[in-house]
Amino acid sequence: MKVIELHRSVTESNDRDAQELRRKLKENGTFLINLMSSPGAGKTTLLSRTILDLKDDLNIAVLEADIESAVDAEKIEALGAKAIQVHTDGMCHMDAGMTRTGLMELGIEGTDLAFLENVGNLICPAEYDTGASRSVMILSVPEGDDKPLKYPLMFQKSDALVITKTDTAPYFRFDFEKCKERAKKLNPGIRIFTLSAKTGEGMKEWEDWLKEETAAWKK
Amino acid sequence: MHEMGIVTHLAKTLDELAEEQHITRIGSVTLEIGEVSGIMTDLFTDAWDYFKVRHPVLKDSELKLVTDPAVTYCGACGKTYETVKYGRTCPFCGSGETWLLKGNGCVIREIEAETEDMNQE
């Protein structure tokens, strides 16, 4: 036996897969968003509204990752977007290999904007590069403004934070300024949107950002 | 579940390394686990035992875990301190403007291995 010194990250093989997938997506002109949140924050609702609003401008596809069931993919397909359900078989997050397999199965030719709806979990998904162009985190008002303190890595790894369910604000003690300040402290460059997919309030800013980012990715 | 995910990636990284360096058998794997990485070492070892038998190169290998101490840097006074003991508040100046320098990762330090050319000798 000989000793081989490595000093390599455990996830090195995933990091390589992620770079390769990002290159492929860039070549194909597909902007992929890795959407992360806790269960019930409103990922599917936000996506549904976004698809309805943007489907005339962009060709959208959705990769739904869940431990089980296909309810989310069925909802998305009913709106007219391409969707596929990926089962992670008990795994708490999506990695680059699983994302690539799902996207290839779905077929991304001609897709401008793809969403990976990651497993509902604020911990593990932040640790794995999925190969997405951008990572976006959703935090809903009922979850509370203290989440940046409890799950700092998620806020550090996200390019944008979407605070959803603003229509419920009167019923909860959610301090928007405090939440934004906490998120910015962890990640000064983070873009923050506040919206309600139910009433439509704040949706335009989020959708304009998606359009701009998608166009920039295609250049 | 978190540990299982990391072990899956570790096994994949090692399989690729084995192919690249013509390794026939891995005797041991030494991992540096960050003190604040959130990895539970006993769960990690269980997950490893479950996985390794499914990878021919790894099946007889021993997993050695070494803790990598967490260190935090204070932006206000420029000093560093032990993260686990003091948390986010600098013990020297009381500032909260602090950043974790290291201790949240998981790195393969080294492996003991047999390679194809060793078998030929």
Side-chain angles (χ1 to χ4, degrees):
Chain A
M1 290 265 169
K2 64 176 177 185
V3 173
I4 305 175
E5 283 197 31
L6 289 170
H7 296 283
R8 284 196 195 180
S9 161
V10 163
T11 55
E12 191 185 270
S13 106
N14 184 61
D15 297 344
R16 240 192 340 256
D17 286 352
Q19 287 303 342
E20 175 58 23
L21 178 59
R22 227 180 330 267
R23 196 192 54 78
K24 216 167 176 174
L25 289 167
K26 179 93 189 168
E27 221 175 72
N28 198 57
T30 305
F31 184 64
L32 175 66
I33 288 199
N34 172 22
L35 206 54
M36 299 177 285
S37 81
S38 51
K43 287 189 292 294
T44 312
T45 307
L46 175 66
L47 275 185
S48 302
R49 177 87 191 211
T50 306
I51 290 166
L52 280 178
D53 292 345
L54 296 182
K55 70 177 177 189
D56 294 335
D57 302 312
L58 299 170
N59 190 330
I60 304 175
V62 179
L63 192 61
E64 291 285 347
D66 276 300
I67 291 175
E68 278 185 46
S69 99
V71 289
D72 286 344
E74 285 161 10
K75 272 186 215 159
I76 298 294
E77 272 184 332
L79 300 169
K82 231 170 25 169
I84 193 168
Q85 184 80 43
V86 178
H87 284 167
T88 58
D89 258 344
M91 199 91 105
C92 50
H93 63 273
M94 286 290 285
D95 63 23
M98 290 151 90
T99 306
R100 185 191 51 222
T101 309
L103 288 174
M104 294 310 126
E105 188 71 27
L106 181 65
I108 50 162
E109 274 314 305
T111 300
D112 306 307
L113 173 61
F115 289 97
L116 161 63
E117 193 180 324
N118 215 316
V119 180
N121 172 348
L122 288 182
I123 308 164
C124 320
E127 296 185 20
Y128 294 90
D129 190 344
T130 56
S133 324
R134 297 280 182 276
S135 287
V136 174
M137 172 192 177
I138 300 179
L139 176 68
S140 65
V141 166
E143 289 172 82
D145 54 41
D146 60 350
K147 292 298 165 287
L149 304 176
K150 294 189 176 178
Y151 305 98
L153 188 67
M154 183 55 80
F155 289 84
Q156 281 161 359
K157 292 284 170 94
S158 298
D159 300 294
L161 165 67
V162 184
I163 304 175
T164 57
K165 306 191 188 177
T166 54
D167 53 296
T168 68
Y171 310 102
F172 295 93
R173 251 178 301 178
F174 188 97
D175 188 327
F176 286 90
E177 285 320 306
K178 209 172 253 175
C179 183
K180 287 179 190 173
E181 189 190 307
R182 285 169 177 159
K184 291 258 184 199
K185 196 170 172 191
L186 290 167
N187 180 353
I190 198 166
R191 274 293 297 263
I192 303 177
F193 302 96
T194 52
L195 56 84
S196 163
K198 193 176 165 191
T199 65
E201 182 201 353
M203 285 297 292
K204 192 182 174 297
E205 208 186 337
W206 154 248
E207 288 164 355
D208 285 347
W209 181 76
L210 287 176
K211 283 193 255 185
E212 281 162 27
E213 292 283 309
T214 305
W217 184 255
K218 284 173 166 290
K219 269 179 200 156
Chain B
M1 285 209 293
H2 178 61
E3 282 69 17
M4 187 178 98
I6 299 168
V7 166
T8 317
H9 289 288
L10 170 64
K12 201 170 160 227
T13 300
L14 289 173
D15 275 345
E16 284 178 14
L17 179 84
E19 208 180 306
E20 174 192 307
Q21 304 210 6
H22 309 284
I23 290 168
T24 48
R25 197 164 75 87
I26 292 180
S28 76
V29 181
T30 308
L31 284 190
E32 281 175 25
I33 296 193
E35 212 177 0
V36 294
S37 65
I39 296 171
M40 312 281 289
T41 50
D42 44 348
L43 275 181
F44 195 89
T45 309
D46 286 349
W48 173 256
D49 289 339
Y50 173 83
F51 253 86
K52 69 175 186 185
V53 295
R54 287 158 179 80
H55 295 254
V57 179
L58 303 174
K59 69 179 188 341
D60 303 314
S61 62
E62 184 198 346
L63 183 67
K64 297 178 184 170
L65 303 178
V66 182
T67 304
D68 179 29
V71 177
T72 297
Y73 171 78
C74 173
C77 72
K79 289 186 178 140
T80 57
Y81 63 89
E82 293 167 61
T83 311
V84 173
K85 199 164 170 189
Y86 302 105
R88 296 231 173 101
T89 311
C90 174
F92 301 105
C93 71
S95 166
E97 297 292 322
T98 56
W99 293 275
L100 186 69
L101 279 186
K102 68 177 193 80
N104 62 344
C106 182
V107 172
I108 311 169
R109 181 190 283 180
E110 60 185 32
I111 61 170
E112 283 180 279
E114 266 172 23
T115 53
E116 268 169 26
D117 41 328
M118 284 168 90
N119 290 341
Q120 283 160 7
E121 275 163 20

